[in-house]
């Protein structure tokens, strides 16, 4: 009914084009990468029937070289199945499992079994050869019945599904670790095969699995490629962009030099529009106008306050890239615990991202390229961990965002001013929302979130806002 709905709602009478799901993913990451030639991979739950697609991009063309990974053999669906089993929401909370994985050990023996967690996951997710993998049907039921996910064999091996509110134990952590390890093994094996066969030194990544920054970090640290690029809306929200690009490519109506490293493309508001909303809440807030909002905000953060930061145009994709963010200083380590428990109301093991001035990234991290979209996890250098402990995960990794003056001057200036005060060129950056809620999108969203939760100050446009009861 989709075509009929579009015609009825929009009164559109011309041709409507339907583009392949994974082809749209490939286009959404290759064209903005700026690479002249690149391998392109897409992994997610399910497109039409493909669960992934591999191609080569060259100038304005994408050539599909492998499309044989199809339902139910899906890295995305098995990740969602384990997310469900561990007590979280499938198609939504997969990032939590990624954050939990470093706390587990995949090489330990499964209780009442002679095999380790990773050995069993190698039985569940089987690497066949070259570019082929298979999900062993003995372990799953999602191929027969929607939302059932895993088989009786899985339950007999690993026990009952965890309830959301029950304790997370070592067993759950080991399952997460084995899943993450096996996904990394499969993808790295595929990429080694591709690199050997095609000898292309750039890689573009898309699809929901492309949001797995731990996996992306393993790819980056493998040094298989000179540079990798992940489009920030790597999941299905980025298909809108990819579908437009595929059609424009067919019509030959765009400039092939589409390099776009700035994805600040969403809603934006003038000071006049912001002030109108501030006046609506004048009995609950006080505000001042600042001539240098970045400098004032850096001073607020340096004093240990939590700052809501609402500036410019909203980011494309699920990561807060410095325009719809909650910010604080990256030290001491208890800042992370305070942010998780009292501000974001989420699991205590979940990490936060360090946003760093791009020219300092190689000093702090084992990172050989830019990471503007917060989608590459990398190790912190041992002599720098003490400066940013609130952003370092249990395995000494960080989900880094490199901040560039030319793509986000206000945010760059804030971090640069913070550096002048503290001698640390990093701030802790998390999305401007609380667990289970979308990122704030307009001034009223921002003010309501600020008023309801434990955020000390709000920097919105050129205004610094504080609560009247503070």
């Amino acid at each position: 009914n989709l075509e009929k709905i579009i015609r009825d709602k929009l009164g559109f009478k011309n041709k409507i084009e339907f583009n392949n799901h994974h082809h749209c993913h490939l286009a959404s990451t290759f064209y903005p990468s700026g690479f002249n030639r690149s391998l392109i991979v897409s992994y997610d739950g399910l497109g039409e029937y493909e669960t992934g697609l591999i191609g080569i991009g060259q100038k304005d063309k994408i050539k599909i070289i492998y499309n044989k990974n199809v339902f139910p053999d899906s890295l995305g669906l098995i990740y969602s199945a384990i997310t469900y089993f561990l007590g979280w929401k499938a198609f939504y909370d997969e990032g939590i499992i990624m954050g939990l994985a470093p706390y587990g050990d995949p090489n330990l023996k499964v209780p009442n079994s002679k095999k380790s967690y990773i050995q069993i996951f190698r039985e569940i997710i089987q690497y066949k050869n070259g570019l082929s993998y298979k999900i062993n049907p003995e372990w799953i039921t999602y191929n027969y019945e929607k939302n059932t996910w895993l088989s009786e064999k899985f339950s007999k091996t690993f026990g009952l599904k965890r309830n959301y509110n029950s304790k997370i134990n070592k067993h759950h952590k080991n399952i997460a670790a084995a899943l993450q390890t096996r996904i990394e093994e499969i993808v790295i094996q595929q990429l080694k095969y591709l690199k050997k066969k095609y000898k292309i030194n750039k890689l573009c990544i898309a699809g929901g699995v492309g949001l797995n920054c731990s996996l992306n970090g393993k790819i980056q640290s493998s040094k298989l490629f000179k540079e990798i690029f992940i489009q920030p809306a790597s999941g299905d929200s980025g298909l809108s962009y990819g579908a437009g690009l595929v059609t424009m490519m067919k019509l030959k109506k765009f400039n092939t030099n589409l390099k776009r490293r700035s994805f600040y493309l969403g809603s934006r508001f003038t000071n006049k529009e912001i002030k109108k909303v501030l006046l609506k809440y004048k009995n609950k807030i006080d505000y001042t106008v600042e001539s240098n909002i970045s400098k004032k905000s850096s001073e607020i953060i340096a004093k240990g306050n939590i700052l809501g930061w609402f500036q410019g145009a909203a980011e494309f994709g699920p990561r807060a890239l410095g325009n719809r963010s909650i910010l604080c200083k990256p030290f001491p380590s208890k800042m992370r615990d305070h942010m998780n428990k009292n501000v974001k109301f989420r699991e205590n093991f979940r990490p936060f991202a360090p946003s760093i001035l791009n020219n300092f990234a190689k000093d702090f991290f084992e990172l050989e390229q830019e990471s503007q979209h917060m989608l590459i996890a990398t190790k912190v250098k041992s002599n720098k961990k003490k400066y940013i402990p609130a952003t370092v995960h249990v395995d000494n990794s960080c989900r880094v965002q490199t901040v560039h003056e030319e793509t986000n001057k206000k945010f760059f200036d804030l971090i640069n001013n913070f550096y002048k005060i503290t001698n640390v060129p990093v701030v802790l950056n998390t999305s401007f929302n609380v667990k289970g809620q979308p990122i704030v999108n307009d001034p009223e969203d921002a003010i309501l979130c600020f008023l309801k939760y434990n955020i000390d100050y709000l920097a919105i446009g050129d205004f610094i806002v504080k609560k009247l009861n503070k």
Side-chain angles (χ1 to χ4, degrees):
N1 293 328
L2 189 57
E3 190 167 349
K4 183 178 184 300
I5 291 167
I6 292 169
R7 294 199 186 284
D8 290 347
K9 296 282 185 186
L10 302 179
F12 186 76
K13 293 183 171 57
N14 295 331
K15 179 185 175 185
I16 295 172
E17 183 166 283
F18 289 82
N19 293 319
N20 175 274
H21 180 104
H22 281 283
H23 192 182
C24 293
H25 274 317
L26 298 188
S28 78
T29 189
F30 173 62
Y31 291 116
S33 72
F35 298 157
N36 188 50
R37 189 165 186 253
S38 171
L39 286 164
I40 326 168
V41 296
S42 172
Y43 305 100
D44 69 5
L46 183 63
E48 285 75 23
Y49 52 90
E50 298 102 343
T51 59
L53 198 63
I54 298 171
I56 294 173
Q58 186 153 354
K59 293 184 178 176
D60 64 340
K61 298 284 192 295
I62 292 175
K63 178 185 176 184
I64 306 304
I65 58 174
Y66 192 79
N67 64 353
K68 299 290 190 293
N69 291 323
V70 298
F71 181 83
D73 301 320
S74 167
L75 300 183
L77 286 176
I78 195 66
Y79 213 102
S80 293
I82 303 303
T83 300
Y84 171 82
F85 180 80
L86 291 176
W88 284 281
K89 189 176 175 182
F91 303 127
Y92 186 77
D93 287 329
E94 283 76 7
I96 297 176
I97 307 306
M98 180 183 70
L100 182 65
Y103 289 89
D105 184 348
N107 297 306
L108 292 178
K109 288 277 193 297
V110 176
N112 305 313
S113 172
K114 294 178 180 178
K115 295 177 181 176
S116 68
Y117 289 86
I118 189 61
Q119 284 175 323
I120 294 176
F121 268 85
R122 285 175 186 146
E123 291 179 16
I124 297 171
I125 312 171
Q126 299 173 352
Y127 179 67
K128 296 180 80 177
N129 54 63
L131 299 173
S132 178
Y133 54 81
K134 181 177 178 59
I135 308 299
N136 186 335
E138 294 177 11
W139 297 89
I140 58 172
T141 56
Y142 67 73
N143 51 334
Y144 298 120
E145 187 179 354
K146 193 174 180 180
N147 296 328
T148 58
W149 296 113
L150 296 160
S151 70
E152 193 176 327
K153 180 174 183 176
F154 192 96
S155 298
K156 282 182 177 176
T157 304
F158 291 106
L160 295 175
K161 173 187 180 301
R162 174 184 165 266
N163 292 320
Y164 175 72
N165 291 318
S166 63
K167 185 182 176 185
I168 302 164
N169 59 35
K170 191 67 178 172
H171 176 59
H172 302 130
K173 296 171 186 175
N174 293 341
I175 292 171
L179 170 69
Q180 179 68 29
T181 300
R182 188 56 179 153
I183 297 292
E184 291 169 1
E185 287 178 348
I186 295 285
V187 173
I188 295 289
Q189 282 173 308
Q190 281 197 336
L191 294 176
K192 284 179 177 176
Y193 174 86
L194 287 165
K195 179 69 185 296
K196 185 177 180 181
K197 183 170 181 178
Y198 294 101
K199 298 178 173 55
I200 297 173
N201 65 5
K202 300 285 180 73
L203 174 69
C204 294
I205 302 169
V209 178
L211 294 171
N212 191 310
C213 55
S214 297
L215 167 61
N216 297 336
K218 292 290 195 307
I219 297 169
Q220 191 268 150
S221 63
S222 73
K223 295 185 165 50
L224 279 169
F225 301 95
K226 188 176 179 182
E227 188 178 358
I228 65 174
F229 178 80
I230 311 109
Q231 197 258 100
S234 181
D236 283 356
S237 61
L239 287 172
S240 53
Y241 182 49
L245 291 175
V246 170
T247 292
M248 294 299 280
M249 178 178 68
K250 290 176 185 175
L251 298 173
K252 301 191 184 313
K253 283 191 175 178
F254 71 75
N255 181 347
T256 55
N257 181 21
L258 271 178
K259 180 172 179 177
R260 178 187 281 281
R261 296 301 173 91
S262 171
F263 279 86
Y264 301 99
L265 300 170
S267 58
R268 64 195 76 196
F269 303 88
T270 64
N271 280 328
K272 186 178 179 181
E273 289 169 321
I274 291 167
K275 187 173 181 179
K276 189 176 178 181
V277 183
L278 292 174
L279 290 171
K280 184 178 172 182
Y281 293 90
K282 63 183 179 181
N283 62 332
K284 295 183 178 180
I285 60 171
D286 192 14
Y287 62 87
T288 56
V289 182
E290 299 295 331
S291 58
N292 189 334
I293 195 74
S294 296
K295 186 171 185 293
K296 182 66 177 177
S297 296
S298 67
E299 292 166 357
I300 287 169
I301 293 169
K303 289 176 182 173
N305 294 297
I306 308 296
L307 176 76
W309 174 254
F310 185 104
Q311 301 294 331
E315 306 88 334
F316 186 47
R319 304 276 184 249
L321 303 177
N323 279 8
R324 302 287 184 271
S325 293
I326 297 174
L327 308 173
C328 70
K329 61 184 186 179
F331 56 87
S333 59
K334 67 182 180 182
M335 290 299 288
R336 175 188 58 234
D337 301 328
H338 171 61
M339 191 74 96
N340 268 327
K341 183 180 179 182
N342 302 317
V343 181
K344 298 280 286 187
F345 305 104
R346 61 183 206 173
E347 295 82 3
N348 63 358
F349 59 81
R350 291 176 67 179
F352 292 103
S355 292
I356 187 168
L357 300 175
N358 65 296
N359 50 316
F360 284 93
K362 289 182 181 179
D363 297 335
F364 273 72
F365 305 107
E366 293 173 12
L367 184 66
E368 297 302 315
Q369 65 164 82
E370 63 180 47
S371 176
Q372 290 198 46
H373 304 143
M374 208 189 283
L375 283 171
I376 300 174
T378 187
K379 298 292 184 184
V380 64
K381 291 192 173 176
S382 56
N383 63 333
K384 299 297 184 187
K385 182 178 176 180
K386 62 185 177 184
Y387 298 108
I388 57 168
T391 68
V392 180
H393 204 24
V394 66
D395 60 351
N396 288 321
S397 70
C398 293
R399 191 179 69 208
V400 179
Q401 181 197 9
T402 54
V403 181
H404 299 244
E405 187 171 16
E406 61 272 21
T407 52
N408 196 333
K409 183 165 173 30
K410 270 190 178 179
F411 192 40
F412 181 93
D413 287 348
L414 181 151
I415 303 170
N416 198 32
N417 282 311
F418 182 79
Y419 170 58
K420 289 173 183 175
I421 298 168
T422 65
N423 209 31
V424 177
V426 177
V427 297
L428 184 153
N429 177 13
T430 187
S431 53
F432 196 160
N433 66 337
V434 296
K435 180 176 165 58
Q437 295 294 316
I439 298 174
V440 299
N441 191 48
D442 64 33
E444 189 149 22
D445 286 347
I447 290 164
L448 289 172
C449 188
F450 165 68
L451 285 170
K452 188 172 181 180
Y453 300 107
N454 296 312
I455 302 168
D456 300 310
Y457 292 87
L458 171 63
I460 181 166
D462 287 333
F463 304 96
I464 291 288
V465 184
K466 61 180 181 179
K467 297 163 190 170
L468 280 177
N469 61 348
K470 285 188 77 70

